[in-house]
Amino acid sequence: MIAKISSGKDTAGLIRYLYGPGRANEHNDPHLVASWDGFAPDPGRSNDFHATRKLLVADLDLRVHHAKRLGRATTQHVWHCSIRASPEDRPLSDDEWATIACRIVAATGIAPEGDPDGCRWVAVRHAEDHIHIAATKVRGDLRTARHWNDYLTADKELAAIEKDYGLQQVIRGDRTAAKRPTRAEQEKAHRTGHQQTARERLRSTVRTAVSVATSPEEFLDILARTDTVHLDIQYFPSGDIRGYKVALEGDTNAAGDPIWHSGSKLAPDLSFPKIRERLTDLDTPPTTPPENRHRPNLWHQATAAAERIPHRLSQADDAAAQAHIAAFGEALDALPLLAPKDLRPQLRQAAITFERATRSRISAQQDQARALRSAIRALRSTPVTGDGSGLAMFLDVALLVVTAAAHWHQLRQHNQQVTAAHQALTHLQTAYQQAARAPLAALARRRHSAPTVERHARQIRVAVPDYAEQVLDDPAWAALVTVLTDAETAGHEPERLLQHVARQRTLDDAHSAAQVLTWRILRLSQRQAPSAQARAAQARTRMRTVHPTDPKQIVHQRPDPVEARIRRR
């Protein structure tokens, strides 16, 4: 069940709507199911509808008129709460709805249980799946009802009602979600042939601008150069930027004026102060490398930065973890700009759904997530080229990051964020499968001798024995053979690379162990292979760290002189 609460100043207008036909004739058989004393007049069950409706309004407003004569009435004296059941719920009887209404007005402070001075209220049912509670907020002692945080208290009571009545338990949020589209916005979008409302489209545009901007000034410049968006920047008297408003091209009111939306109204993290905090002092690596230096693979850098996020989420610093999740959300916002056209719908949908998982009540420590933000911004001038292996590699890690983010939110009971992460995971899996198909096929087409394939199979059995058969039976095994051979040609030791990969990430949650190993080895093999001297030093280090009970080490170890003297004594 969900509740929607609002205030107003026209009791007669609200009752007229509740007993009227509705905006689309959807109100069927409107009638009272409960009231403050159980004896309120019901226009829906009266032979004289109009007279009874006036009588009901007069009864509800009785205390309001008394308070006005004493100069104590509030202007917004009407309290309106609609309660809607989930589509999966069984039909509830009038008596059940009456009990639910009594519990809600008691929990919110409108009419506390056992309080004879509680506000006057009625519950009207005109559809099978919901009721409306209309109340006037003047108590019997002519004081205004104390109903602070009524949405939270109503929501908490509805959660208990769901359990008591065996109803669908709604996933509840933490009030950090973006504002839902209103019915008017949805109807306007439908009339103009759009699937999303103007505010939702603006939110997506602004988030994309944030994901590629390197400074607050560049963010505003990107918006100003967007053809479909009007931008209005507000300034302090000092000349400093105070905030911004955006309007969608063609989205106007009845007077023909643009309908403006401030950043904070689009989403809590899109206010200008929040954006400035994320973009100030952002270190973006240069896209043009210095002379005589090997240009780094920007997709590899972005993948390496994203790959560290699950480890960050496993640590105790929640503020840093929240910052990394938010930064990864920015990376998803930027991906549709970098990917081929056939991948953009799934990537865009993944970014839209994951957006809910990027915010929680935990404040993000933004300076902890600059590496990924910088890497993604460096990529904005480097779209996917060639075989697309860079994007596929990043999406492979993205699946791991989203899974880790869902687990992190679940441990903290961020239910809406968990659902959003799972939904985003579905879209990312589809995008990854499309992106990986061509580069994996290109790697698999390269043929290798039987001894080479067998040598790499032995290395797999030694390095990852628990997953060896799974890897060898995987269709991506042929691609893995190619990247292992290339790594060996470049001077790397394939077995050591495999062991390194296995230590970095468990393969238990891998959608395909062979594909994970392929992308990891491909990225690691791009690094410069260690020299002979470096390999010798590493070998000596390994010998020193062998467990002292190893018989081979005991034979070659020199006895400690001090220990020998003690033994002789």
Side-chain angles (χ1 to χ4, degrees):
M1 285 185 163
I2 58 174
K4 184 178 180 181
I5 298 176
S6 60
S7 295
K9 59 182 180 181
D10 186 4
T11 308
L14 177 57
I15 296 300
R16 190 183 308 115
Y17 165 74
L18 296 181
Y19 279 94
R23 293 186 178 92
N25 295 317
E26 73 274 18
H27 295 179
N28 299 313
D29 186 27
H31 61 280
L32 287 185
V33 295
S35 65
W36 73 94
D37 61 357
F39 298 101
D42 183 4
R45 295 292 184 265
S46 172
N47 294 328
D48 192 342
F49 173 79
H50 294 288
T52 307
R53 189 180 67 189
K54 290 181 181 179
L55 181 60
L56 175 61
V57 173
D59 285 351
L60 288 171
D61 277 345
L62 179 63
R63 295 170 177 171
V64 176
H65 294 318
H66 289 169
K68 282 183 177 179
R69 284 196 291 268
L70 297 175
R72 298 173 60 180
T74 177
T75 304
Q76 298 285 321
H77 65 269
V78 178
W79 187 83
H80 177 206
C81 174
S82 62
I83 305 172
R84 185 176 298 274
S86 296
E88 300 85 357
D89 288 339
R90 61 177 175 82
L92 298 173
S93 66
D94 282 357
D95 289 340
E96 289 174 316
W97 277 119
T99 303
I100 291 171
C102 290
R103 291 178 62 169
I104 292 301
V105 294
T108 55
I110 293 297
E113 187 176 0
D115 183 357
D117 288 330
C119 299
R120 293 192 167 193
W121 61 273
V122 293
V124 179
R125 183 180 187 182
H126 53 213
E128 188 177 68
D129 62 346
H130 71 278
I131 61 170
H132 292 261
I133 302 175
T136 48
K137 296 188 286 187
V138 180
R139 292 168 42 84
D141 54 13
L142 300 187
R143 291 184 299 150
T144 302
R146 299 167 64 92
H147 61 99
W148 297 310
N149 291 325
D150 49 8
Y151 175 80
L152 293 180
T153 53
D155 196 54
K156 183 178 180 180
E157 186 64 25
L158 286 177
I161 289 171
E162 290 167 352
K163 293 181 180 179
D164 295 343
Y165 283 78
L167 304 177
Q168 177 75 22
Q169 295 187 25
V170 175
I171 298 174
R172 289 179 158 78
D174 53 8
R175 305 188 77 181
T176 61
K179 183 180 178 182
R180 291 193 186 100
T182 64
R183 181 171 181 173
E185 288 176 322
Q186 292 175 332
E187 291 176 352
K188 185 175 183 179
H190 180 72
R191 289 196 306 269
T192 56
H194 293 96
Q195 293 183 344
Q196 292 183 310
T197 64
R199 185 149 47 89
E200 289 175 315
R201 284 182 283 158
L202 282 171
R203 184 187 307 140
S204 178
T205 300
V206 172
R207 287 186 65 86
T208 301
V210 173
S211 70
V212 297
T214 58
S215 67
E217 294 74 20
E218 186 180 13
F219 159 72
L220 294 174
D221 183 61
I222 291 173
L223 285 183
R225 290 186 283 108
T226 303
D227 295 336
T228 59
V229 173
H230 298 295
L231 175 66
D232 180 21
I233 303 175
Q234 290 91 45
Y235 296 90
F236 288 111
S238 62
D240 295 330
I241 297 175
R242 179 169 62 89
Y244 71 98
K245 296 189 298 184
V246 287
L248 197 65
E249 177 71 31
D251 184 36
T252 59
N253 57 22
D257 299 323
I259 299 177
W260 295 97
H261 302 267
S262 65
S264 60
K265 295 298 183 182
L266 296 177
D269 58 342
L270 294 183
S271 66
F272 189 73
K274 293 284 188 182
I275 292 174
R276 180 170 51 201
E277 180 184 0
R278 288 149 67 182
L279 297 183
T280 299
D281 297 328
L282 185 67
D283 297 326
T284 304
T287 56
T288 303
E291 294 182 3
N292 301 323
R293 289 189 61 184
H294 176 66
R295 177 171 180 169
N297 188 306
L298 298 178
W299 280 105
H300 289 192
Q301 289 184 340
T303 301
E307 199 172 41
R308 291 190 285 270
I309 293 179
H311 174 68
R312 301 287 188 184
L313 300 187
S314 65
Q315 297 177 337
D317 191 345
D318 280 0
Q322 179 64 61
H324 281 87
I325 293 176
F328 181 75
E330 292 179 20
L332 293 186
D333 291 332
L335 283 186
L337 300 177
L338 307 172
K341 289 183 178 180
D342 60 326
L343 296 179
R344 291 175 186 173
Q346 289 293 342
L347 293 177
R348 191 172 292 113
Q349 199 59 40
I352 291 173
T353 53
F354 191 76
E355 182 257 351
R356 180 65 191 96
T358 62
R359 291 187 304 274
S360 72
R361 282 290 180 183
I362 299 172
S363 299
Q365 188 177 347
Q366 300 294 0
D367 60 350
Q368 294 293 312
R370 290 180 177 174
L372 179 58
R373 288 192 171 106
S374 298
I376 290 298
R377 283 156 176 78
L379 273 169
R380 63 181 181 170
S381 59
T382 311
V384 177
T385 56
D387 61 359
S389 60
L391 175 62
M393 185 186 307
F394 183 86
L395 291 177
D396 173 69
V397 171
L399 298 176
L400 176 66
V401 175
V402 174
T403 302
H407 179 67
W408 186 84
H409 281 304
Q410 189 170 29
L411 291 177
R412 288 150 186 82
Q413 298 182 348
H414 301 163
N415 297 328
Q416 286 188 351
Q417 289 88 334
V418 172
T419 301
H422 287 158
Q423 292 173 345
L425 190 63
T426 301
H427 295 292
L428 283 176
Q429 286 171 337
T430 303
Y432 167 76
Q433 291 168 1
Q434 290 179 250
R437 190 176 298 120
L440 286 175
L443 291 170
R445 279 195 295 268
R446 293 172 53 185
R447 299 301 177 187
H448 306 279
S449 64
T452 299
V453 175
E454 182 56 35
R455 182 174 69 256
H456 293 319
R458 288 195 302 270
Q459 293 164 347
I460 290 290
R461 291 189 177 96
V462 171
V464 286
D466 295 338
Y467 308 95
E469 298 309 316
Q470 177 185 344
V471 170
L472 297 177
D473 293 337
D474 195 299
W477 164 238
L480 179 55
V481 169
T482 296
V483 297
L484 286 171
T485 302
D486 290 346
E488 193 173 44
T489 303
H492 293 279
E493 297 180 14
E495 188 173 327
R496 289 194 58 215
L497 289 179
L498 287 168
Q499 291 171 344
H500 178 68
V501 168
R503 285 195 302 269
Q504 277 190 326
R505 169 187 171 183
T506 177
L507 298 176
D508 292 336
D509 57 352
H511 53 94
S512 165
Q515 292 184 30
V516 170
L517 293 174
T518 297
W519 301 126
R520 288 286 188 102
I521 298 298
L522 179 61
R523 184 164 59 83
L524 291 176
S525 64
Q526 299 298 314
R527 302 174 181 176
Q528 186 175 0
S531 63
Q533 293 83 353
R535 287 196 296 270
Q538 291 170 355
R540 289 193 296 270
T541 302
R542 288 199 302 272
M543 288 184 64
R544 284 196 296 268
T545 57
V546 176
H547 196 282
T549 58
D550 188 341
K552 294 182 180 179
Q553 181 170 347
I554 293 175
V555 171
H556 296 288
Q557 276 184 333
R558 297 182 61 182
D560 184 1
V562 176
E563 183 180 356
R565 286 196 298 271
I566 293 174
R567 287 179 179 176
R568 283 196 297 270
R569 292 177 183 176

